[in-house]
Amino acid sequence: MQKAKVRKVSITYNLTEEKRKQLYDLLGNVKLSLLYKASVHGYQASAFHQRCDRQGPTLLVAYNRSGYIFGGYTSVDYAQSGQYITDQEAFLFSIHSKISVCIKINTGHSARLDDAGWPSFGQQLYFCYNNQPAVYVQERNNYHYEFEDDVEGINKAFSFNPATLYGNDTQLTECEVYKVKEKPQVSAEEKPWRNVLWTADRKDKLMEMIRNYKPLVKSVSRVRILMIGPVGAGKSSFFNSINSIFTDHVTTKAMSGSAGTSLTVQFRTYPVNDGREGKPLPFVLCDTMGLEEQSGAGLDIEDISSILQGHVPDRYKFNPMAPFQPDEQMFSRPASLQEKIHCVVYVIDATKISLMSDKLQEKLASIRRKVNSVGITQIVLMTKVDEACPLVEENLQSLYASSYIKTKVQEVSSRLGVPVSCVLPVKNYSQELELELNCDVLLLTALQQMLRFADDYFDDIRPVDGNPK
């Protein structure tokens, strides 16, 4: 029986390549990603906010029957805060035939009202008004849009003429919202800053090395690798990706995604088998609850010590309000070396390194101090490199030729206080249906380094006679 083919449904945008180029002239070196399309998701304000809130800078693009393409840009998140938004970068635009018009903001103090209603600019221009495919202009005192001030001397955010902006045609045929993301300035270096063999033979050799690996300490049969990182960084996805390689097809055994809060709420230990019916491989990936900035949410730092010492059982459900408390039996019996953690891996999203808050950075620093105190080796896994760099998105083999990725590796090294050689860029499987060689080589190379680092830990704790201290 043949497997049914999975059909991927994509939502197309109305912007032609010519019109996109005209918008790029206004926006600069950016990438536009479609968030919302009214004809698909609905003209309701709730549908707009569901898809567009907290997405960073956005561009609203409306279309009418007269052939006008018009809308507005805001650099500030939609968040339904109920506040007037200050945004000096906001602007309105109009494209008709080959003519582009950009209307910059007069005063950024009331660029828009950030409420739960329809998207609007300056309390003047409303889109999808009354949940209908229409645009509405709020006029005050027969205000003439060619002038900056109305008769009462009240500044308006934008000065525009409806005839110029949209040809006085208020009926919309479509309304779209795009996420605006600045493209990094990337270039390919003449010589790769790390050497990788992107071949099937290299993949086979890495898999064979991992299959035949044996920890330096005989009392340990499998290395335990602890994954720590912010919500959505890709901890669970890394396990799924490694499991996929050895299963020979893409798997999703561990829950993963991009929810606002951690999908992992338990301490999970994930062994990996060499094939569906194969023997267990010599490592276990341990997943934790995601780190979050605020106190009382995400993984409690006090739980880290218990995990490192091997006291936390598989499937223990974390309580962000109270750290793990070992029972009397655990207090009386120290965990064996087999049960302890042998390597710690920090998982960091390459697209969010520059956005890392001081609170999160301090949490990671506190964890590093705890891990350092017990001498466990540490590595940083930098995920989503394809999303961070267009050069890498086009060809994963360009990873170590990308000057931008190199700067991100250096930034991670500086922020977390680890050597550059300990930062490993990877791409997890996320939307793929089949395995890809380049992805496998990167992931297996990272796993190989983790096993080598575990050996450094074992080598440090065992005395000359070969037995652990």
Side-chain angles (χ1 to χ4, degrees):
M1 183 177 178
Q2 290 185 337
K3 292 182 179 179
K5 291 184 178 180
V6 177
R7 183 183 177 188
K8 185 178 179 181
V9 179
S10 59
I11 300 173
T12 57
Y13 45 76
N14 283 26
L15 279 176
T16 64
E17 188 62 31
E18 180 187 356
K19 301 304 182 187
R20 287 171 74 89
K21 287 180 180 178
Q22 287 178 273
L23 284 175
Y24 289 144
D25 288 340
L26 300 176
L27 293 163
N29 186 34
V30 299
K31 178 181 179 181
L32 297 179
S33 303
L34 186 62
L35 295 173
Y36 165 81
K37 190 179 181 74
S39 63
V40 175
H41 302 118
Y43 282 89
Q44 294 78 18
S46 57
F48 162 79
H49 285 287
Q50 182 180 4
R51 299 189 65 86
C52 301
D53 281 2
R54 302 192 182 281
Q55 292 293 332
T58 52
L59 181 75
L60 187 148
V61 182
Y63 308 77
N64 67 14
R65 296 173 301 181
S66 300
Y68 283 80
I69 299 174
F70 63 104
Y73 168 82
T74 176
S75 66
V76 181
D77 281 314
Y78 288 98
Q80 301 185 55
S81 64
Q83 304 295 315
Y84 288 101
I85 297 300
T86 298
D87 186 0
Q88 299 292 350
E89 297 178 33
F91 64 81
L92 301 177
F93 72 91
S94 175
I95 299 173
H96 187 238
S97 296
K98 294 185 178 180
I99 300 173
S100 299
V101 177
C102 180
I103 301 163
K104 295 185 178 180
I105 196 162
N106 294 322
T107 171
H109 298 299
S110 300
R112 59 182 178 82
L113 177 60
D114 185 38
D115 60 5
W118 315 289
S120 65
F121 289 84
Q123 286 190 285
Q124 298 166 255
L125 185 62
Y126 293 81
F127 293 86
C128 305
Y129 190 69
N130 279 338
N131 297 329
Q132 298 296 320
V135 65
Y136 171 73
V137 171
Q138 175 70 47
E139 296 192 39
R140 295 180 186 174
N141 301 322
N142 296 316
Y143 174 80
H144 295 287
Y145 290 94
E146 293 86 357
F147 301 98
E148 180 174 332
D149 299 318
D150 65 16
V151 294
E152 295 177 354
I154 301 173
N155 287 336
K156 282 207 171 188
F158 297 96
S159 302
F160 64 90
N161 186 325
T164 302
L165 193 67
Y166 54 87
N168 281 325
D169 184 353
T170 61
Q171 295 302 302
L172 302 180
T173 58
E174 185 62 272
C175 185
E176 299 173 331
V177 177
Y178 292 84
K179 179 182 177 71
V180 180
K181 185 177 180 181
E182 186 175 352
K183 286 184 179 179
Q185 298 296 325
V186 298
S187 61
E189 298 193 349
E190 292 183 6
K191 183 180 179 181
W193 44 279
R194 280 184 189 166
N195 293 318
V196 174
L197 291 174
W198 306 93
T199 64
D201 182 59
R202 177 57 179 164
K203 173 186 171 180
D204 292 341
K205 285 182 178 178
L206 284 166
M207 291 181 72
E208 195 61 24
M209 183 282 298
I210 292 167
R211 289 186 183 107
N212 296 328
Y213 168 81
K214 292 182 179 179
L216 284 177
V217 176
K218 292 182 180 180
S219 63
V220 176
S221 60
R222 288 188 290 183
V223 167
R224 287 167 64 88
I225 301 167
L226 178 62
M227 317 290 291
I228 299 174
V231 173
K235 298 181 286 83
S236 301
S237 293
F238 179 73
F239 161 73
N240 285 334
S241 299
I242 294 296
N243 192 55
S244 297
I245 295 171
F246 284 97
T247 307
D248 202 29
H249 65 82
V250 176
T251 64
T252 54
K253 187 175 178 181
M255 286 193 302
S256 62
S258 56
T261 57
S262 181
L263 290 177
T264 303
V265 295
Q266 297 177 320
F267 175 68
R268 290 304 316 271
T269 56
Y270 291 112
V272 179
N273 293 332
D274 188 11
R276 186 174 293 276
E277 304 296 332
K279 65 179 182 179
L281 292 164
F283 63 90
V284 174
L285 296 174
C286 304
D287 197 7
T288 59
M289 194 174 190
L291 294 175
E292 297 189 38
E293 292 181 15
Q294 61 271 34
S295 58
L299 182 67
D300 191 303
I301 294 179
E302 294 304 316
D303 285 330
I304 298 293
S305 294
S306 298
I307 295 171
L308 296 177
Q309 295 302 321
H311 293 312
V312 180
D314 185 33
R315 297 183 185 274
Y316 166 76
K317 187 173 182 179
F318 293 106
N319 179 2
M321 302 303 295
F324 172 81
Q325 295 292 334
D327 56 29
E328 292 183 6
Q329 185 178 1
M330 286 184 178
F331 269 123
S332 61
R333 181 191 66 82
S336 67
L337 185 59
Q338 169 85 357
E339 297 170 302
K340 294 182 179 181
I341 296 299
H342 311 124
C343 178
V344 170
V345 178
Y346 303 98
V347 184
I348 304 296
D349 183 341
T351 67
K352 296 181 179 178
I353 294 166
S354 299
L355 303 175
M356 187 183 296
S357 68
D358 293 340
K359 288 183 179 179
L360 186 57
Q361 191 167 328
E362 179 53 38
K363 270 194 175 183
L364 286 166
S366 298
I367 293 170
R368 275 190 40 76
R369 287 192 289 269
K370 284 183 179 290
V371 177
N372 283 333
S373 68
V374 291
I376 298 175
T377 52
Q378 301 165 72
I379 283 180
V380 178
L381 206 63
M382 195 174 81
T383 61
K384 305 183 183 181
V385 291
D386 56 319
E387 296 180 29
C389 176
L391 196 69
V392 177
E393 184 178 32
E394 185 177 338
N395 182 3
L396 197 57
Q397 289 191 18
S398 301
L399 177 69
Y400 290 122
S402 167
S403 57
Y404 180 76
I405 292 297
K406 186 177 182 180
T407 62
K408 290 287 121 180
V409 167
Q410 292 168 338
E411 186 177 353
V412 169
S413 168
S414 175
R415 281 177 174 267
L416 270 65
V418 299
V420 169
S421 60
C422 295
V423 182
L424 308 175
V426 296
K427 177 191 180 307
N428 289 329
Y429 284 109
S430 55
Q431 59 186 6
E432 296 80 7
L433 299 179
E434 300 295 337
L435 298 180
E436 297 178 359
L437 175 62
N438 295 332
C439 200
D440 291 352
V441 169
L442 270 185
L443 291 161
L444 291 170
T445 300
L447 180 58
Q448 178 193 45
Q449 288 298 102
M450 294 173 196
L451 297 178
R452 287 175 174 175
F453 272 51
D455 274 345
D456 290 342
Y457 167 68
F458 292 136
D459 193 46
D460 186 56
I461 64 172
R462 64 176 187 167
V464 180
D465 61 10
N467 295 315
K469 296 176 184 176

